């Protein structure tokens, strides 16, 4: 057969067996899986490479940041230190007339005077530093409890003062030697043995003790507290060191020393004229002495009535806050007649000291008016904040019989007249 007549040879397709089909499909699946795995790996690497840098790099990388970001971190001021404060309160005279002495006698023959502070102890205990003018020497029952004119109180009054939250007991008063030297020594022994951590000022059992200046320390701040009395009712002080008196040379020496030792100085003088709301010439004179020698705060006692609060300032710009008198904290006067009612109204001084950059200043101050609730009987006499006193309570108060002019409105008006805008109703 001629070559041109030959038909092209058809390549016969080879028929795949089922086994061959399975093999080819498996191979294709493996290939497809490998392709997918490669794609996933590539995308994962891109995600890692494209991850954003943290906004807050480690401290050791700050220098490699762009200039503007480095400058921002360098110029950011550190947070300002928190301002430190010290809260202080003081109340006036604990004047233990006979009905008050008797009110502590319990059925078993013991004594307890916690009721004096039932309605004020929360205000007292919450303060960092709480002071009280303990008008009456605490010579104990062995010397005989007594009222006016020669007072002597039970040791249990001291127990009640501590439980109420007082930190500083001020004993430089005109009644300090009502029971002579024995009264002072008994009182000091009680405090030293029962409450050695409580500061007792104004009376001493040695010259070394009198020569010391009491320093209260908190928040790294040192506060000196000085306590003096104008006199002792004409009774001679057995030993010159036993009572701190308002003697100019000594007071100035103490103030000058306090300026060296402390950051802030408080003077608590027993001064002024009894039963008058006006500041006396003697108080004004002593105010200028305290101011001239660096005192920062003065809180007075003795007049048994409230007196004004004011700032005084010297030519150099040094300012001093003065509470001339806080009046009585608690009393049960035997007096009667028009005007006696003023003895039932006292006040609590409230002062906030701020400490900033080592400087101590008075950042806030005020008064909380108080009413002596004179009701005879065991556990009855007490003291209320005026803001909590009611007509019902007033009707129980023995002062309404002693002086019919004693009313709730009288108490409020007296505080308006004496304290002015400082009295917040």
């Amino acid at each position: 057969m001629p070559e041109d007549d030959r038909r092209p040879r058809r390549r016969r397709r080879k028929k795949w067996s089922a086994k061959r089909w399975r093999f080819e499909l498996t191979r294709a699946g493996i290939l497809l899986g490998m392709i997918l795995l490669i794609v996933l790996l590539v995308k994962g690497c891109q995600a890692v490479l494209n991850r954003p840098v943290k906004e807050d790099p480690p401290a050791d990388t700050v220098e490699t940041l762009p200039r503007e970001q480095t400058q921002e971190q360098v110029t950011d001021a550190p947070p300002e230190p928190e301002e430190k404060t010290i809260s202080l309160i003081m109340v006036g005279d604990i004047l233990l007339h006979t009905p008050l002495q008797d009110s502590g006698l319990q059925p078993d023959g013991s004594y307890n005077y916690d009721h004096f502070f039932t309605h004020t102890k929360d205000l007292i205990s919450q303060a960092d530093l709480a002071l009280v003018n303990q008008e009456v020497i605490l010579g104990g029952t062995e010397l005989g409890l007594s009222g006016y004119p020669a007072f002597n109180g039970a040791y249990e009054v001291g127990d009640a003062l501590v439980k109420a939250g007082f930190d500083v007991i001020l004993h430089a008063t005109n009644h300090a030697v009502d029971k002579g030297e024995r009264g002072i020594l008994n009182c000091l022994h009680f405090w030293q043995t029962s409450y050695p951590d409580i500061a007792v000022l104004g009376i001493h059992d040695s010259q070394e003790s009198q020569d010391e200046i009491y320093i209260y320390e908190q928040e790294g701040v040192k506060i000196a507290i000085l306590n003096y009395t104008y006199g002792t009712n004409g009774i001679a002080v057995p030993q010159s060191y036993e009572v701190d008196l308002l003697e100019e040379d000594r007071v100035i020496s103490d103030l000058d020393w306090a300026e060296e030792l402390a950051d802030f100085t408080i003077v608590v003088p027993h001064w002024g004229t009894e039963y008058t709301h006006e500041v006396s010439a003697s108080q004004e004179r002593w105010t200028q002495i305290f101011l001239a020698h660096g005192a920062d705060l003065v809180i007075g006692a003795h007049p048994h009535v409230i007196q004004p609060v004011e700032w005084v300032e010297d030519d150099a710009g040094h300012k001093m806050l003065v509470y001339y008198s806080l009046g009585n904290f608690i009393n049960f006067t035997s007096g009667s007649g028009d005007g006696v009612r003023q003895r039932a109204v006292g006040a609590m001084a409230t002062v906030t000291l701020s400490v900033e950059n080592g400087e101590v200043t008075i950042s806030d101050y005020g008064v909380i008016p108080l009413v002596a609730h004179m009701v005879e009987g065991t556990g009855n006499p007490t003291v209320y904040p005026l803001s909590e006193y009611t007509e019902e309570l007033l009707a129980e108060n023995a002062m309404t019989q002693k002086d019919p002019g004693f009313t709730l409105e009288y108490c409020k008006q007296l505080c308006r007249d004496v304290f002015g805008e400082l009295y917040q109703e």
Side-chain angles (χ1 to χ4, degrees):
M1 183 179 292
E3 187 174 346
D4 293 340
D5 291 337
R6 288 182 298 179
R7 295 180 180 178
R9 295 176 69 177
R10 292 180 61 185
R11 182 176 293 176
R12 195 173 78 175
R13 292 182 179 176
K14 195 171 183 179
K15 187 175 181 180
W16 289 353
S17 64
K19 183 177 180 180
R20 176 67 183 272
W21 276 110
R22 285 196 299 273
F23 172 78
E24 293 296 334
L25 288 172
T26 300
R27 186 171 66 175
I30 292 171
L31 181 62
L32 181 60
M34 291 177 66
I35 293 171
L36 289 173
L37 180 60
I38 291 170
V39 170
L40 291 173
L41 288 172
V42 170
K43 287 186 176 182
C45 292
Q46 288 177 339
V48 171
L49 292 173
N50 294 331
R51 183 181 298 166
V53 178
K54 290 183 179 180
E55 293 182 2
D56 298 319
D60 59 356
T61 64
V62 172
E63 292 183 357
T64 65
L65 295 174
R67 179 180 178 84
E68 59 273 12
Q69 190 169 352
T70 304
Q71 184 65 26
E72 180 182 350
Q73 292 206 8
V74 170
T75 57
D76 277 349
E80 294 185 4
E82 183 179 354
E83 184 182 56
K84 299 176 181 179
T85 61
I86 300 172
S87 59
L88 176 152
I89 67 97
M90 178 173 160
V91 300
D93 311 334
I94 307 291
L95 192 55
L96 299 176
H97 293 105
T98 299
L100 297 182
Q101 304 269 22
D102 295 344
S103 74
L105 181 61
Q106 305 299 302
D108 63 359
S110 64
Y111 287 87
N112 185 295
Y113 295 93
D114 294 347
H115 51 283
F116 289 176
F117 308 103
T118 300
H119 306 284
T120 55
K121 63 182 179 182
D122 288 345
L123 293 170
I124 296 164
S125 61
Q126 71 186 12
D128 294 318
L129 181 60
L131 295 79
V132 57
N133 182 60
Q134 179 49 51
E135 182 83 19
V136 174
I137 203 73
L138 303 180
T141 55
E142 66 184 82
L143 298 183
L145 303 187
S146 56
Y148 181 83
F151 292 91
N152 178 53
Y155 297 143
E156 287 79 4
V157 173
D159 295 332
L161 291 171
V162 174
K163 282 188 276 185
F166 289 107
D167 306 290
V168 179
I169 314 298
L170 305 157
H171 268 297
T173 79
N174 55 309
H175 293 288
V177 291
D178 279 2
K179 291 299 177 179
E181 187 173 39
R182 187 73 263 158
I184 291 175
L185 296 179
N186 276 16
C187 186
L188 286 171
H189 182 262
F190 161 73
W191 287 116
Q192 292 163 0
T193 56
S194 299
Y195 302 103
D197 293 333
I198 296 296
V200 177
L201 308 185
I203 57 174
H204 308 276
D205 56 8
S206 69
Q207 186 63 58
E208 291 75 17
S209 172
Q210 188 184 50
D211 289 341
E212 295 175 352
I213 288 181
Y214 173 69
I215 303 290
Y216 171 83
E217 190 164 1
Q218 181 181 326
E219 302 288 0
V221 173
K222 295 180 179 180
I223 301 172
I225 306 176
L226 307 173
N227 179 212
Y228 308 95
T229 178
Y230 72 92
T232 55
N233 290 344
I235 304 173
V237 179
Q239 304 291 336
S240 61
Y241 55 75
E242 288 181 334
V243 180
D244 288 329
L245 299 173
L246 277 170
E247 298 170 332
E248 187 168 342
D249 288 346
R250 179 169 190 88
V251 170
I252 290 173
S253 176
D254 287 348
L255 284 168
D256 291 346
W257 191 21
E259 277 293 282
E260 297 181 20
L261 297 176
D263 305 296
F264 192 89
T265 299
I266 303 171
V267 183
V268 188
H270 210 70
W271 62 354
T273 304
E274 291 182 333
Y275 312 125
T276 175
H277 302 289
E278 298 177 358
V279 177
S280 70
S282 176
Q283 285 172 293
E284 292 177 347
R285 172 178 171 272
W286 278 110
T287 294
Q288 292 304 312
I289 292 173
F290 300 151
L291 178 66
H293 292 272
D296 302 288
L297 173 63
V298 175
I299 309 179
H302 175 63
H304 304 308
V305 296
I306 56 174
Q307 291 184 340
V309 180
E310 69 173 1
W311 285 97
V312 294
E313 185 175 358
D314 64 16
D315 295 337
H318 172 61
K319 297 176 67 177
M320 181 178 76
L321 180 62
V322 185
Y323 290 77
Y324 286 100
S325 175
L326 298 178
N328 294 320
F329 177 78
I330 193 166
N331 79 109
F332 209 123
T333 179
S334 61
S336 62
D338 186 39
V340 172
R341 58 185 179 270
Q342 63 185 341
R343 306 178 194 181
V345 181
M348 177 184 294
T350 63
V351 179
T352 301
L353 306 181
S354 292
V355 185
E356 190 172 5
N357 298 324
E359 184 177 357
V360 186
T361 58
I362 296 173
S363 57
D364 194 19
Y365 67 100
V367 292
I368 300 175
L370 306 170
V371 178
H373 189 58
M374 303 179 191
V375 179
E376 291 194 45
T378 299
N380 288 335
T382 189
V383 178
Y384 285 88
L386 176 56
S387 61
E388 299 176 12
Y389 211 57
T390 64
E391 294 289 353
E392 292 74 16
L393 290 170
L394 185 132
E396 300 173 358
N397 198 321
M399 183 56 77
T400 57
Q401 281 75 51
K402 295 175 181 295
D403 186 344
F406 180 67
T407 65
L408 203 53
E409 179 55 31
Y410 164 78
C411 297
K412 295 177 180 179
Q413 188 59 52
L414 178 61
C415 292
R416 296 185 197 110
D417 292 342
V418 174
F419 296 133
E421 295 181 359
L422 198 60
Y423 168 49
Q424 302 294 317
E425 297 189 44

